[in-house]
Amino acid sequence: MVRGNLPHKIKHFHEKYGDIVRVAPDELSFIRPDAWRDIYSKGREFVRPDEYKDQPPGKTAANLIACSETEHARLRKILAPGFSEKYAMEQEPFIQSYVDKLCEKLDDRLQNDKISTVDVVEWINYLAFDVIGDLTWGSSFGCLDGLTYHPWVQTVGQFKAAIVVGALKFYPPIYSFLMAITPPSALQAVMDMWKLTEQNVRERVAGGASRPDIVGTMMASESMTQEEMEVNSMMIVAAGSESITTVLTGVISHLLRTPDKLNTLVQILRTTFLSEQEITGSALKSLPYLDAVLNEGMRLCPTIPDGMRRNVPVGGATIAGQIIPGGMVVSIPPFTTYRASRNFTHAEEFAPERWLGEDVQSSKFQGDSKTAFNPFSLGAHNCPGQNLAWLELRIILVRLLWRYNLSIPPGVELPQWEDQGIWWFWDKQPTMVRFQKFR
Ligand code: HEM
């Protein structure tokens, strides 16, 4: 975990040993599609192991990742209206306005030949953080304004440090000792991040429920404490930004390597939409090739590539036809499962057409096990942000591809996606892309 190559190793073990691998004395990894249902969809029987529950320093309020199942059910019920499809659609004007800003900034950069080269990882991260800050507590981080990361964003992105702390939890005496001797100054950036979170939530609460956002949903329940609103909104900002950047940079990077797929998508978009104003959330729902491209991006670049670990309940359970004793840790590792040849034909290939379902009988992808793919997970702990995620992914990708011709700058080699390190999330390397104004 600490070296950032655990998911790669687990992939290698599955290739060598098969569908079910004992990756630690008390831990099993599964890549069979039926394991999804058995592990993640059995009500609340399988719970996240304590080592993977992250309680922010100095905070005790229940948050979605680190709380009891009863608290989790309460929080999900409160938050549900804020994650509905209707609510997501109400957020569209805000999303569109941030994409406008991104395009303005890109246009400013265009030189005489109308070409600009930028690192899409950075720029889409600016956009994703600004959007989710606004959608969560009504104020953005201003990353796009200054084309730079806000310190809050920099701190929340310190996954490598967080992984080291997480790994130490496997050695409780060492963990307690190191936590006891860590000087407060070492945690200064984290403390500053929490101060700003407190301030943003406090200001939003004082401002009243004037517009649709997630803190507004929390306030409407009248049953969440200030600290609960802080820890959960912080988590939503973190979960709702990094994921969007991963999928979009992953998709752009794969499209650039497969120009025929890029051309197919661009042709569809430019013949469907005659002006940029026609690109709306509802119009984008009926473009199967667009969704196929995004699904294929999520298959090859899953936002959570490592297994989402769960404890088998006391008394044991049957998983993928095997009887597993209680207390074992089990998971499905998306990076491995989605690239396994037992589940997908030409598994390492970027092939959006596998999701189109047309002419399935003659398709070379008819053997694919689509049920092996659950990008938003399943069950009580699945992703609540799916509606918002689809809306953001479609609007951002389509507006960029409609407005600009994207290409790999001469002499540049894009990073190979699967070779990047993984510290919970992909350690996305700079990805330089050339933008040329289409119209
Ligand atoms: C492409 C975009 C996204 C993907 C693929 C994705 C995927 C996932 C997955 C697989 C989980 C389950 C994690 C686990 O069980 O450990 C999850 C959880 C979560 N996601 Fe997303 N996500 C995306 C976007 C978003 C967005 C936009 C938001 C917020 C607006 C969001 C908020 C959350 C939250 C709060 C959780 C924790 C849920 C819980 O534990 O109850 N996600 N996401």
Side-chain angles (χ1 to χ4, degrees):
M1 274 165 82
V2 169
R3 288 190 183 139
N5 63 6
L6 180 62
H8 305 82
K9 289 209 159 175
I10 288 178
K11 183 169 185 281
H12 169 71
F13 294 150
H14 276 287
E15 281 158 5
K16 191 162 176 193
Y17 299 112
D19 293 351
I20 307 174
V21 178
R22 186 184 293 270
V23 293
D26 63 347
E27 183 171 335
L28 297 171
S29 176
F30 295 77
I31 61 166
R32 286 182 39 177
D34 46 348
W36 274 105
R37 183 200 55 215
D38 295 337
I39 298 174
Y40 300 100
S41 289
K42 290 271 168 74
R44 295 183 170 275
E45 287 175 34
F46 286 67
V47 296
R48 182 177 280 128
D50 286 342
E51 290 86 356
Y52 295 91
K53 289 185 171 176
D54 208 20
Q55 191 69 43
K59 304 281 175 188
T60 51
N63 73 67
L64 283 170
I65 300 290
C67 64
S68 68
E69 288 302 299
T70 314
E71 288 285 27
H72 184 264
R74 177 179 75 87
L75 291 172
R76 287 291 293 246
K77 198 167 167 204
I78 291 173
L79 292 169
F83 287 116
S84 65
E85 188 174 0
K86 178 175 165 288
Y87 210 85
M89 294 309 274
E90 287 175 32
Q91 310 281 12
E92 179 172 348
F94 301 98
I95 301 172
Q96 296 276 17
S97 71
Y98 284 101
V99 183
D100 289 344
K101 196 180 272 188
L102 177 90
C103 294
E104 272 166 34
K105 293 283 175 179
L106 270 172
D107 288 355
D108 286 350
R109 289 264 181 127
L110 296 176
Q111 295 147 2
N112 296 338
D113 49 359
K114 295 205 178 312
I115 290 176
S116 174
T117 300
V118 301
D119 174 8
V120 284
V121 172
E122 234 173 45
W123 282 58
I124 291 180
N125 234 351
Y126 297 153
L127 173 67
F129 270 100
D130 279 1
V131 167
I132 197 68
D134 200 340
L135 268 45
T136 303
W137 48 47
S139 61
S140 97
F141 291 98
C143 296
L144 280 172
D145 288 328
L147 292 179
T148 180
Y149 288 120
H150 187 286
W152 192 103
V153 173
Q154 270 170 332
T155 306
V156 93
Q158 295 301 317
F159 299 120
K160 290 183 189 171
I163 277 276
V164 174
V165 175
L168 285 170
K169 288 186 187 164
F170 286 89
Y171 308 94
I174 302 177
Y175 177 75
S176 308
F177 174 70
L178 286 176
M179 288 297 114
I181 62 162
T182 302
S185 57
L187 294 174
Q188 195 53 51
V190 179
M191 293 311 172
D192 290 346
M193 184 192 80
W194 280 109
K195 236 184 254 164
L196 185 75
T197 306
E198 277 166 36
Q199 189 184 322
N200 281 348
V201 172
R202 204 174 304 120
E203 281 171 9
R204 174 64 187 83
V205 171
S210 57
R211 48 154 295 184
D213 62 20
I214 303 283
V215 174
T217 305
M218 296 176 179
M219 288 161 66
S221 81
E222 295 183 359
S223 63
M224 281 180 83
T225 64
Q226 169 85 18
E227 193 176 298
E228 279 181 338
M229 290 196 221
E230 287 163 15
V231 289
N232 287 291
S233 52
M234 181 274 184
M235 178 171 307
I236 290 165
V237 172
S241 46
E242 143 68 31
S243 51
I244 297 292
T245 307
T246 293
V247 177
L248 287 174
T249 53
V251 163
I252 290 174
S253 168
H254 281 89
L255 281 173
L256 288 173
R257 287 167 193 281
T258 49
D260 53 324
K261 324 273 176 198
L262 177 61
N263 286 341
T264 305
L265 180 57
V266 168
Q267 285 317 312
I268 291 172
L269 301 180
R270 291 186 184 157
T271 48
T272 306
F273 302 110
L274 300 180
S275 77
E276 214 170 336
Q277 290 67 39
E278 291 174 23
I279 304 174
T280 62
S282 54
L284 290 170
K285 276 187 193 164
S286 48
L287 296 178
Y289 194 77
L290 169 66
D291 287 358
V293 164
L294 289 167
N295 272 321
E296 190 66 344
M298 290 193 267
R299 185 181 71 82
L300 290 177
C301 319
T303 57
I304 302 184
D306 198 7
M308 295 164 285
R309 292 169 174 82
R310 301 289 188 260
N311 273 129
V312 177
V314 177
T318 302
I319 302 175
Q322 306 289 318
I323 295 168
I324 311 295
M328 288 292 283
V329 175
V330 291
S331 70
I332 296 180
F335 174 48
T336 307
T337 307
Y338 300 167
R339 287 176 182 250
S341 54
R342 69 146 355 264
N343 294 327
F344 293 98
T345 313
H346 303 290
E348 305 275 352
E349 200 181 287
F350 181 74
E353 54 280 20
R354 75 172 76 243
W355 300 104
L356 290 177
E358 279 166 16
D359 201 7
V360 176
Q361 289 311 312
S362 61
S363 156
K364 65 175 176 174
F365 300 110
Q366 60 176 302
D368 281 5
S369 301
K370 302 265 164 45
T371 53
F373 176 68
N374 292 292
F376 297 99
S377 191
L378 299 176
H381 289 259
N382 74 346
C383 177
Q386 300 180 42
N387 292 315
L388 201 52
W390 273 109
L391 185 67
E392 281 191 64
L393 294 174
R394 288 179 183 138
I395 290 178
I396 300 169
L397 183 67
V398 171
R399 287 200 51 194
L400 289 179
L401 294 182
W402 190 91
R403 193 179 167 98
Y404 303 99
N405 289 330
L406 270 57
S407 58
I408 303 175
V412 165
E413 205 169 311
L414 296 184
Q416 198 64 40
W417 188 271
E418 56 278 15
D419 293 346
Q420 300 177 118
I422 298 172
W423 282 269
W424 277 334
F425 304 111
W426 294 97
D427 187 32
K428 292 177 281 299
Q429 298 303 301
T431 303
M432 301 310 291
V433 174
R434 204 160 81 142
F435 286 74
Q436 184 169 28
K437 195 93 177 271
F438 166 60
R439 284 177 210 219

